[in-house]
Amino acid sequence: MLGFDKLDFQQILSTFLVLIGIIDIIGSIPIILQLKAKGKTVSANKATFLSWGLMVGFFYGGNFILKLFGCNIQSFAVAGSILIFFMALEMILDIEIFKNNGPVKEATLVPLVFPLLAGAGTFTTLISLKSMYADINIMIALALNMAWVYIVIKATDFIQRLLGASGIYFIRKFFGIILMAISVKLFFDNVVLLI
């Protein structure tokens, strides 16, 4: 339950900074632009709302859901890290591994919302933060992050015009390597805990 008496600006700021690094919407810009170049639609409203809903749902019910399926947070994080690794490979090598067999023109839910915005890394982080900070502070920081996600997704066309084709190509390769590094760290951090 949210406790407004536990409001703490320091906890909100710390949580906001941690989540902004994990969600990494700036690093997702090349993926969003790639999806748009393939004729897929990406809705800022839908991406923000679905991401927020998934994160809040997992924050309050994640452990129960995973236990229901006989999983733990570490095995979930390992599975998510593998998925993120393959998405990074696509960005670095200019190949298509991930096939979107969902609605033909829609790419908001998969792969943008899950696993990029609301994926294993975010879920694992939220569960970890819950053990350190008050729920109200985490929820405020999450809402601020979702506002940032909305602004960046809305501005992707402007960012593309600003950087041009070669700038976007460079960012795509650079963030592909960053995404791969995050996936490797997420994998090994959690495999060690599983073993």
Side-chain angles (χ1 to χ4, degrees):
M1 229 20 225
L2 294 176
F4 290 98
D5 56 320
K6 295 181 181 173
L7 274 174
D8 183 323
F9 180 74
Q10 181 62 46
Q11 286 188 14
I12 293 169
L13 182 62
S14 298
T15 304
F16 176 78
L17 293 174
V18 167
L19 288 175
I20 214 163
I22 295 295
I23 295 170
D24 189 25
I25 187 62
I26 298 294
S28 298
I29 289 172
I31 295 170
I32 296 167
L33 293 174
Q34 179 186 5
L35 292 168
K36 286 183 173 184
K38 290 179 180 176
K40 308 285 185 187
T41 56
V42 175
S43 164
N45 294 338
K46 213 189 253 189
T48 305
F49 179 74
L50 290 172
S51 298
W52 177 81
L54 280 172
M55 288 183 219
V56 170
F58 196 85
F59 182 75
Y60 287 108
N63 281 330
F64 172 76
I65 293 166
L66 290 176
K67 283 178 186 170
L68 194 64
F69 291 102
C71 295
N72 58 27
I73 194 74
Q74 289 78 27
S75 55
F76 184 79
V78 168
S81 71
I82 293 167
L83 195 55
I84 293 169
F85 180 85
F86 283 117
M87 293 183 78
L89 273 181
E90 280 189 337
M91 292 172 71
I92 295 166
L93 303 176
D94 286 329
I95 56 174
E96 187 176 3
I97 300 169
F98 185 81
K99 306 287 183 199
N100 185 358
N101 293 322
V104 180
K105 295 281 184 187
E106 181 65 47
T108 303
L109 182 57
V110 178
L112 182 58
V113 170
F114 185 83
L116 287 177
L117 301 179
T122 311
F123 293 155
T124 308
T125 303
L126 284 170
I127 296 294
S128 302
L129 289 168
K130 192 173 186 170
S131 65
M132 297 186 297
Y133 300 137
D135 289 7
I136 182 71
N137 299 317
I138 297 170
M139 288 297 106
I140 291 170
L142 183 58
L144 292 171
N145 266 276
M146 290 298 96
W148 173 239
V149 164
Y150 177 82
I151 291 165
V152 172
I153 294 174
K154 272 294 204 190
T156 52
D157 292 331
F158 170 75
I159 293 166
Q160 185 174 25
R161 286 192 302 276
L162 186 70
L163 296 177
S166 28
I168 293 300
Y169 183 80
F170 170 77
I171 287 175
R172 186 165 190 267
K173 299 300 178 189
F174 177 76
F175 279 107
I177 293 167
I178 298 295
L179 202 59
M180 186 172 281
I182 289 168
S183 73
V184 169
K185 182 181 183 331
L186 191 60
F187 179 86
F188 284 108
D189 284 354
N190 288 281
V191 160
V192 167
L193 294 171
L194 281 173
I195 296 169

